[in-house]
Amino acid sequence: LKDLDGQAERLNLLVNLHAKRALERLAACYAVTQREVLEGLLREADRAALERAARVHNGENDYYEKRLRLAKKSVTQ
């Protein structure tokens, strides 16, 4: 693997088989790479967490400093 612009870091992980298949389907459905799907989902989750953090005193700063703990939202919320 090569990072041509110096802006990427390698992830090495195992995911549940159902999550992997979902990732493959999403990438095929939107005609993008699996990396693009993951990066998009992470950006959306980051934005949502920041929106919730903004409602808490000092929340944004605590979020960026990895001190903020928000209650996990269920999938149906």
Side-chain angles (χ1 to χ4, degrees), residues 56-75:
V56 177
H57 174 70
N58 207 35
E60 289 181 21
N61 186 54
D62 286 344
Y63 175 72
Y64 283 114
E65 295 296 323
K66 302 176 191 165
R67 294 186 301 249
L68 182 65
R69 298 292 178 259
L70 297 171
K72 184 177 180 182
K73 293 177 86 170
S74 72
V75 176

Side-chain angles (χ1 to χ4, degrees), residues 20 22 26-27 42 48 55 77:
K20 174 64 170 140
L26 286 165
L42 289 168
R55 298 183 213 131
Q77 287 183 325

Side-chain angles (χ1 to χ4, degrees), residues 34-46:
Q34 291 179 25
R35 174 182 170 168
E36 288 172 300
V37 171
L38 286 173
E39 288 175 346
L41 292 170
L42 289 168
R43 279 190 303 274
E44 286 181 35
D46 188 50

